[in-house]
Amino acid sequence: FKQYEAALASFDKKGSPVEIDGVKAQPYQLALDTSKLAVFKSLPAGAAKSIPPTLKYVMYVGSDSLLRRVTYDIAGSTSQIDYSKWGEPVDIKAPAPGDVTDKDLSELFSGASKSA
């Protein structure tokens, strides 16, 4: 979240707590000024035009102060990320070599600005 600090335009409580994974979680809406996010500054001009001036996220923080969910809508596509099993052991394996790239974000999205 440190990368968002300079771009944070607002951070407000939004509604009543909801239960997520057995924990009451308070929703907070944050708005980010995309012109202040480094990740978007390196995009090609065509792709950059599709980025809205403000991104809005809703973060659900549990009564245990742990993040439980993040939702957002970008260009008509809604995403939800749930976080669970905090503190449980994990087994992390390196991805297969074919699943790894050394391309930066601007290269990965360079085709996004091309129209059919």
Side-chain angles (χ1 to χ4, degrees), residues 67-83:
L67 185 60
R68 297 295 171 166
R69 176 175 290 157
V70 174
T71 61
Y72 56 92
D73 181 6
I74 299 177
S77 178
T78 301
S79 295
Q80 175 177 304
I81 303 167
D82 285 345
Y83 300 86

Side-chain angles (χ1 to χ4, degrees), residues 7-22:
L8 189 62
S10 67
F11 187 89
D12 302 298
K13 193 181 269 193
K14 181 182 179 181
S16 299
V18 296
E19 189 167 319
I20 300 172
D21 200 26

Side-chain angles (χ1 to χ4, degrees), residues 27-49:
Y28 294 91
Q29 182 169 303
L30 55 2
L32 301 175
D33 178 345
T34 56
S35 70
K36 296 180 180 178
L37 289 170
V39 68
F40 295 127
K41 291 180 181 179
S42 62
L43 290 176
K49 287 180 185 176

